[in-house]
Amino acid sequence: MAQPPVDSDVDVVILGAGSGGYACALRAAQLGLSVVLVEQDKLGGTCLHVGCIPTKALLHAAELADGARESEQFGVRATFEGVDADRVVAYADGVVGRLHKGLTGLIGSRGITVVSGAGTLTGPHEVTVDGTAYRGRNVVLATGSEPRLLPGIEVDGTRILTSDHALRLDPLPSSAIVLGGGVIGCEFASLWRSFGIEVTVVEALPRLVPPEDAASSAALQRAFRKRGIDVRTGATVESAKATDTGVEVVTGDATLTADVLLVAVGRAPRTEGLGYAEQGVTLERGFVVVDERCATGVDGVWAVGDIVPGLQLAHRGFQQGIYVAEQIAGLVPRPIDERGIPRVTYSRPEVASVGITEEQAVAEHGADGVRTLTYDLAGNGRSQILKTQGFVKLVRKVDGPVLGIHLVGDRVGELIGEAQLIYGWEAHPEDVAPLVHAHPTQNEALGEAHLALAGKPLHTHD
C-alpha cells in the first residue's frame, strides 16, 4: 500500500501489529478512522507466529501421540512409533500460514496503511520508520514482549533455549530441563513428555502456575508426577551452562543434566530503545504505565498488550486494542475487568480459570464471607468417557455472586466461555442452577457445581 505523505496527519498510528495492535487497527478502521499500522516483522506478532498458535498446534500433536500410546484402554489397537519433528513443525507452520494469509487480507481490505520496518516514538504524535515520520492525532503503543532471560544464563539456541527456539527442535532431545513452572514452562513440559522426552521442571516458587488457585496448582503437579515429569518446586538455580554433551543446571540441592534447557521464566516487555521514555511515557520495570483507560500520561498516546502491566495474554491485548480504538472514535466503551479475563494453561491436564482465587477472596471478604465448592469430574459422564481427572472449583461470596471459577482436566479450557459469562454477569449459583446443560458434556460439570453450591446437589454430597 502507498504510504501517506510525511506531513499529513492520520487519526491513529499504531506501533506493533500483534494481537493488540491489529485489533486496534481493524476496529478503528471499522469506525471510519484513518490508520497507519507499523510492524517490523509479520502481521499477527508473537501470538500468531511464535506463541499461542504454534504452541497449541504442537500440543494437539502431543495429544495425538498420547492417544496412540494409550489407545488400548479404549479397545483400539494402535501403536506409537515416534514423532517426526520436521512434519510436526510443518503442520504447525501450515496453521500459522493460513491464519497469517487471512489476517493480511483482512487488514488490506479495511484500507489500513501498513508500514514495514522498525518504528520508534519520535514525538508525542509521531512514529518514525527508516527515516520517515508518520504523524497521528493518536498513537497506540503495542510493541509486545519477548522471552525473558536470566543473568548468567547464556542462551545459544542449541542447548539453552527460549520458547522461540523450542518450537523448531529437530531432532527432538531425549531429555530436557524446563526452568520455570508458569504457563509457558508447563505447556512445553507437557508436550515434550507426550513426545517421549524425559522432562524436569525447576520452579523457584513453592508451586506450579503460581497465579492459579492453590488447588489447581496441586492437581497439575500431581498429574505431572503421575506422567513421569520430575517437578522440583522451591528450587533456586545457582548456575546453568552448556556442556559438550548437553546442559548442566545446579540448584540448591542437586546438579541436573539433560540434552537441552528451556528458559521459560516469563516474557519481558519490548520497550527498550523505542523512544518511549524520551517522549515522556512513564515506564516501570520496562512496562508502560497506563490508567484504567489504557492511556499513558502523554495526551493522545495509548498502550495495549504485553507492554502494559498485568496478564500477558493475547486475548487481553486484543480486547484492549478494541477498547482504545472505540475511545479514540468518541465512543464510551465499558472498561475491561482484568479479573474477568479468562486464563488457560494448555497442558495435560488443562488448567483454566476466571475471577479470583480462594486465597484472594478470603483476603478481601474474610474467611466467614466466602464459600467454596469443588465438584469432582469423576461424577461427569463425558469426563469419564475421556478418562480425565480433575474438578470444577467455585468461589463465591456468601449470599453473593460467584467470584472465581477454577477448572482442571483435559479439555476444560473449552468451558471457560460459560465460566466467564457467569463471572461477568455477577451471577449467583441460584441463577446458574436452572440452566439446562446438554448431556453428556463437560459443561454439565459447571451446572452440577452450581447446583451443589445453590444447595441442590444431585451427583455430589453437599
Side-chain angles (χ1 to χ4, degrees):
M1 276 183 191
Q3 298 178 356
V6 178
D7 59 354
S8 72
D9 282 358
V10 295
D11 292 310
V12 56
V13 177
I14 302 168
L15 183 52
S19 300
Y22 84 70
C24 185
L26 289 171
R27 183 61 176 139
Q30 187 179 56
L31 293 170
L33 302 177
S34 53
V35 180
V36 170
L37 180 61
V38 178
E39 173 56 49
Q40 68 176 355
D41 198 353
K42 297 178 181 179
L43 296 176
T46 293
C47 172
L48 176 55
H49 297 284
V50 292
C52 320
I53 300 302
T55 56
K56 277 53 181 181
L58 295 186
L59 282 157
H60 179 61
E63 182 182 4
L64 294 176
D66 284 332
R69 189 184 290 110
E70 301 168 3
S71 64
E72 285 285 350
Q73 64 181 314
F74 300 101
V76 176
R77 295 195 181 103
T79 57
F80 175 70
E81 297 182 0
V83 176
D84 185 331
D86 186 58
R87 293 186 66 180
V88 170
V89 171
Y91 150 68
D93 285 347
V95 174
V96 171
R98 289 188 293 274
L99 291 173
H100 178 246
K101 182 179 179 181
L103 176 61
T104 301
L106 181 60
I107 288 176
S109 71
R110 295 285 177 86
I112 296 166
T113 299
V114 177
V115 177
S116 297
T120 56
L121 189 66
T122 50
H125 298 272
E126 181 182 86
V127 172
T128 297
V129 185
D130 297 330
T132 301
Y134 300 89
R135 300 188 183 97
R137 285 175 281 280
N138 292 272
V139 172
V140 179
L141 309 177
T143 43
S145 62
E146 57 196 3
R148 187 180 295 279
L149 304 179
L150 291 178
I153 299 180
E154 185 176 346
V155 172
D156 59 18
T158 303
R159 294 291 190 185
I160 302 181
L161 319 168
T162 68
S163 56
D164 291 359
H165 305 120
L167 288 170
R168 314 195 74 84
L169 285 184
D170 185 16
L172 292 174
S174 61
S175 59
I177 298 169
V178 177
L179 178 53
V183 173
I184 297 172
C186 285
E187 289 184 351
F188 272 100
S190 183
L191 75 88
W192 277 348
R193 185 62 189 140
S194 296
F195 286 167
I197 299 170
E198 295 295 327
V199 180
T200 299
V201 179
V202 178
E203 168 57 51
L205 294 176
R207 55 192 178 90
L208 298 178
V209 286
E212 296 292 346
D213 191 90
S216 297
S217 295
L220 180 62
Q221 188 160 323
R222 287 194 300 271
F224 270 19
R225 284 179 168 152
K226 187 175 181 180
R227 292 181 60 195
I229 298 173
D230 184 5
V231 178
R232 298 171 180 247
T233 54
T236 302
V237 173
E238 297 178 357
S239 66
K241 64 179 181 180
T243 66
D244 291 339
T245 58
V247 293
E248 179 183 276
V249 177
V250 178
T251 66
D253 59 359
T255 298
L256 309 173
T257 59
D259 292 337
V260 297
L261 167 66
L262 171 62
V263 180
V265 290
R267 296 186 64 84
R270 190 180 285 117
T271 56
E272 186 176 352
L274 299 179
Y276 294 176
E278 291 81 352
Q279 299 304 322
V281 175
T282 301
L283 301 177
E284 287 185 2
R285 297 179 296 107
F287 290 95
V288 177
V289 177
V290 297
D291 62 15
E292 69 281 355
R293 297 171 52 243
C294 294
T296 69
V298 179
D299 185 48
V301 179
W302 314 75
V304 300
D306 285 2
I307 61 173
V308 174
L311 295 169
Q312 291 179 307
L313 299 171
H315 46 282
R316 173 180 180 252
F318 188 90
Q319 191 63 30
Q320 286 177 332
I322 294 171
Y323 178 60
V324 166
E326 292 180 347
Q327 291 181 86
I328 291 172
L331 304 180
V332 187
R334 179 179 176 180
I336 298 170
D337 177 7
E338 292 279 327
R339 289 178 166 182
I341 296 171
R343 308 170 292 271
V344 184
T345 302
Y346 294 89
S347 51
R348 186 184 183 201
E350 292 182 351
V351 177
S353 63
V354 65
I356 61 177
T357 66
E358 178 180 358
E359 184 179 20
Q360 290 170 324
V362 169
E364 293 182 16
H365 302 285
D368 295 334
V370 174
R371 187 180 175 196
T372 67
L373 182 135
T374 300
Y375 173 80
D376 197 309
L377 291 186
N380 176 256
R382 184 64 173 167
S383 297
Q384 283 291 314
I385 291 168
L386 296 173
K387 286 186 174 287
T388 185
Q389 297 178 335
F391 57 77
V392 175
K393 178 177 178 179
L394 305 180
V395 180
R396 78 170 295 188
K397 184 178 179 181
V398 171
D399 298 326
V402 174
L403 303 173
I405 301 175
H406 306 275
L407 312 163
V408 176
D410 292 349
R411 305 187 186 181
V412 296
E414 302 301 323
L415 308 184
I416 203 63
E418 181 181 356
Q420 182 187 22
L421 292 175
I422 292 168
Y423 170 84
W425 283 338
E426 299 182 351
H428 291 223
E430 295 79 8
D431 299 324
V432 182
L435 300 180
V436 180
H437 293 79
H439 176 76
T441 64
Q442 286 187 299
N443 281 89
E444 283 183 290
L446 279 172
E448 292 271 3
H450 284 86
L451 273 170
L453 196 52
K456 300 185 287 186
L458 295 184
H459 296 95
T460 61
H461 298 287
D462 192 12

